[in-house]
Short mmCIF file of all heavy atoms in Angstrom, two decimals:
data_model
loop_
_atom_site.label_atom_id
_atom_site.label_comp_id
_atom_site.label_asym_id
_atom_site.label_seq_id
_atom_site.Cartn_x
_atom_site.Cartn_y
_atom_site.Cartn_z
N ALA A 52 15.26 14.39 9.79
CA ALA A 52 16.16 15.18 8.97
C ALA A 52 17.59 14.97 9.40
O ALA A 52 17.87 14.70 10.53
CB ALA A 52 15.75 16.66 9.10
N ALA A 87 10.98 25.36 -0.18
CA ALA A 87 11.26 24.47 -1.40
C ALA A 87 10.55 24.86 -2.60
O ALA A 87 9.48 25.58 -2.58
CB ALA A 87 10.83 23.06 -1.00
N GLN A 88 11.12 24.51 -3.75
CA GLN A 88 10.47 24.69 -5.02
C GLN A 88 10.35 23.35 -5.72
O GLN A 88 11.24 22.56 -5.69
CB GLN A 88 11.27 25.64 -5.88
CG GLN A 88 11.31 27.03 -5.34
CD GLN A 88 11.92 27.98 -6.37
OE1 GLN A 88 12.45 27.61 -7.45
NE2 GLN A 88 11.92 29.24 -6.07
N LEU A 95 2.21 22.99 -14.30
CA LEU A 95 1.87 23.98 -15.34
C LEU A 95 0.45 23.82 -15.74
O LEU A 95 -0.28 24.79 -15.89
CB LEU A 95 2.86 23.85 -16.49
CG LEU A 95 2.54 24.72 -17.72
CD1 LEU A 95 2.66 26.22 -17.33
CD2 LEU A 95 3.51 24.44 -18.88
N PRO A 101 4.91 26.35 -14.14
CA PRO A 101 5.54 25.07 -13.97
C PRO A 101 6.17 24.87 -12.59
O PRO A 101 6.53 23.77 -12.20
CB PRO A 101 6.59 25.08 -15.11
CG PRO A 101 6.93 26.50 -15.24
CD PRO A 101 5.60 27.23 -14.99
N ARG A 114 -2.62 18.12 -3.20
CA ARG A 114 -3.92 17.74 -2.86
C ARG A 114 -4.93 17.88 -4.01
O ARG A 114 -5.83 17.08 -4.26
CB ARG A 114 -4.44 18.56 -1.64
CG ARG A 114 -3.81 18.05 -0.38
CD ARG A 114 -4.51 18.66 0.87
NE ARG A 114 -3.91 18.07 2.04
CZ ARG A 114 -3.61 18.77 3.11
NH1 ARG A 114 -3.85 20.04 3.18
NH2 ARG A 114 -3.07 18.16 4.17
N SER A 129 14.63 2.66 -10.44
CA SER A 129 16.06 2.87 -10.11
C SER A 129 16.16 4.18 -9.42
O SER A 129 15.29 5.03 -9.38
CB SER A 129 16.91 2.87 -11.41
OG SER A 129 18.26 2.88 -11.08
N SER A 151 11.17 10.49 -14.28
CA SER A 151 12.38 10.69 -13.51
C SER A 151 12.13 11.93 -12.71
O SER A 151 11.49 12.87 -13.13
CB SER A 151 13.64 10.79 -14.38
OG SER A 151 13.56 11.92 -15.21
N SER A 165 12.95 20.30 -6.49
CA SER A 165 12.73 19.06 -7.11
C SER A 165 12.10 19.36 -8.50
O SER A 165 11.51 20.42 -8.72
CB SER A 165 11.76 18.12 -6.33
OG SER A 165 10.47 18.65 -6.35
#
Side-chain angles (χ1 to χ4, degrees):
Q88 292 189 356
L95 176 61
R114 282 193 177 138
S129 187
S151 64
S165 72

